[in-house]
Amino acid sequence: ETGVTQSPTHLIKTRGQQVTLRCSSQSGHNTVSWYQQALGQGPQFIFQYYREEENGRGNFPPRFSGLQFPNYSSELNVNALELDDSALYLCASSSMTDLVGAFFGQGTRLTVV
Amino acid sequence: QKEVEQNSGPLSVPEGAIASLNCTYSDRGSQSFFWYRQYSGKSPELIMSIYSNGDKEDGRFTAQLNKASQYVSLLIRDSQPSDSATYLCAVIDDKIIFGKGTRLHILP
């Protein structure tokens, strides 16, 4: 079991609402990456935060935004939720020089109705 | 954009047999290749990494890499019901790029 915790584990939101997902960071790690995994698909890279700055972004619209805090924990915010945003959201904690050693959190299952 | 392709399956294999999972990648410059196992509703777990052409063995798992063909495979020997999961092939860019995954069912 990793030291990366995501909260909440499940939630249901209505289309058009906003949601904030949270991710702790493994001790000694300074990078958090967020992934969206739709049912039956592989995880898709949303963005990565390194030392509190966005350090790379995948093909996701601006309504997906994030933050990283001084303790390297992170938030993912999604505005104007759409039905297609329903997915498992994964965060991965790593050091910038060792993405292979990333520890994944258990994920947040978001359902948009 | 770098891509990783996998057959989504499901792949059904009798218990005790060898399961063979395959993956191709688009960027000839990719250097690092990985296999993750993901149980339903859980997060991915790294099970194998391979960086050089040829085979790499770890217990019942063997990863195979052929850079000329841009092809990576994972063999699971003596398949067990607990191996039933989705297997994600991945490459490292400045982020982890995953394939869609192959669902594997081990039949008791």
Side-chain angles (χ1 to χ4, degrees), chain A residues 11-75:
Chain A
L11 77 165
I12 300 174
K13 288 286 189 178
T14 303
R15 189 171 50 182
Q17 286 188 313
Q18 180 266 343
V19 69
T20 297
L21 310 181
R22 295 179 175 83
C23 173
S24 70
S25 177
Q26 179 80 12
S27 177
H29 288 172
N30 55 21
T31 302
V32 173
S33 304
W34 286 92
Y35 292 83
Q36 180 196 66
Q37 187 174 22
L39 198 61
Q41 302 295 314
Q44 296 295 308
F45 177 72
I46 302 174
F47 44 54
Q48 180 184 87
Y49 277 83
Y50 170 61
R51 292 186 176 180
E52 303 180 56
E53 297 286 333
E54 187 178 291
N55 185 51
R57 188 179 183 92
N59 189 26
F60 281 82
R63 59 189 185 85
F64 286 78
S65 63
L67 284 173
Q68 188 178 34
F69 300 99
N71 67 355
Y72 302 124
S73 66
S74 178
E75 286 183 354

Side-chain angles (χ1 to χ4, degrees), chain B residues 10 21-22 25 27 37 39 46 61-63 66 70 74 76 78 85 96 107-108:
Chain B
L21 303 160
N22 305 311
Y25 58 95
D27 182 13
R37 178 176 61 199
Y39 293 112
L46 180 66
F61 298 98
T62 299
N66 183 327
Q70 296 177 233
L74 179 69
I76 307 175
D78 189 23
I96 305 173
L107 305 172

Side-chain angles (χ1 to χ4, degrees), chain A residues 33 35 37 40-45 48 55-59 88 90 92 96 99-102 104-107 109, chain B residues 1 8 32 34 36 38 40-46 49 51 86 88 92-101 103:
Chain A
S33 304
Y35 292 83
Q37 187 174 22
Q41 302 295 314
Q44 296 295 308
F45 177 72
Q48 180 184 87
N55 185 51
R57 188 179 183 92
N59 189 26
L88 180 68
L90 296 162
M96 192 58 197
L99 292 178
V100 180
F104 282 87
Q106 80 279 20
R109 172 71 65 186
Chain B
Q1 183 167 336
S8 61
S32 308
F34 308 92
Y36 287 81
Q38 186 176 29
S40 181
K42 303 297 184 182
S43 57
E45 171 194 9
L46 180 66
S49 59
Y51 305 95
T86 295
L88 300 163
I92 290 276
D93 185 356
D94 49 0
K95 56 189 175 289
I96 305 173
I97 301 170
F98 291 95
K100 291 185 177 181
R103 287 179 294 142

Side-chain angles (χ1 to χ4, degrees), chain B residues 11 13-20 74-79 106:
Chain B
L11 174 66
V13 174
E15 184 176 354
I18 296 175
S20 178
L74 179 69
L75 301 178
I76 307 175
R77 289 182 301 281
D78 189 23
S79 296
I106 305 302

